Amino acid sequence: LSDRTRHKIRADSRARAQVRLAAAVRSRLFGRVIVLSEAQRRWYERVAPGSPIVLLPNGIRPLVPDRTRAEVRRELDVADGEVLSLTLSLMRPEKGHATLLDAVRRIPADVPLVAALAGDGELLDHVRATVADDPVLRRRARHVVSENL
């Protein structure tokens, strides 16, 4: 049983060749290759044709909306003319919330954007404190409690 995942693959040709070789070997050694997306499935089919591939989607189950778009925007205090963006993930260092908040902070004042950050995790308190301490982020960023999704 192998539970290795590949998230950060170097882009040089030697690294790509190593990854392709490892994928081909794994597909021969194990009863099946479990992939988490259609993109991964297509990649494995190219790298190791004929591999027994099982798609096990990673992520959240599709939600059936229980509120209208207008209700959600009102709950988040987002005006009709503002663009609402959403990021949904665990709040961990590798997810890039600090980078997102820095980018939101740098957006020109005349660009009507509100960023909603949904999720929880080890950095939740830090994200909330960062937003609370910055007047630009207080105006442009919202935390969405996961239970409210």
Side-chain angles (χ1 to χ4, degrees), residues 111-132:
V111 176
L113 176 89
V114 173
L117 293 85
D120 58 16
E122 66 188 81
L123 292 182
L124 175 58
D125 291 338
H126 177 73
V127 167
R128 284 180 170 160
T130 300
V131 171

Side-chain angles (χ1 to χ4, degrees), residues 56-109:
L56 181 64
N58 185 19
I60 60 171
R61 59 182 157 67
L63 300 175
V64 177
D66 61 354
R67 296 179 308 275
T68 67
R69 178 181 188 269
E71 288 170 326
V72 170
R73 292 176 70 85
R74 196 168 30 259
E75 288 174 22
L76 294 174
D77 193 26
V78 178
D80 286 339
E82 292 177 311
V83 174
L84 175 61
S85 70
L86 171 68
T87 181
L88 172 63
S89 70
L90 285 174
M91 294 188 180
R92 298 190 316 213
E94 68 272 15
K95 298 295 185 172
H97 293 90
T99 303
L100 173 64
L101 291 175
D102 187 50
V104 168
R105 187 182 295 114
R106 294 170 185 243
I107 293 173

Side-chain angles (χ1 to χ4, degrees), residues 24-83:
V25 168
R26 272 191 214 105
S27 71
R28 304 278 189 277
L29 292 176
F30 301 108
R32 68 185 133 270
V33 176
I34 298 173
V35 298
L36 304 178
S37 70
E38 280 295 322
Q40 285 180 326
R41 184 187 57 73
R42 288 189 301 273
W43 182 85
Y44 263 100
E45 286 175 346
R46 280 195 317 271
V47 171
S51 297
I53 299 170
V54 175
L55 174 62
L56 181 64
N58 185 19
I60 60 171
R61 59 182 157 67
L63 300 175
V64 177
D66 61 354
R67 296 179 308 275
T68 67
R69 178 181 188 269
E71 288 170 326
V72 170
R73 292 176 70 85
R74 196 168 30 259
E75 288 174 22
L76 294 174
D77 193 26
V78 178
D80 286 339
E82 292 177 311
V83 174

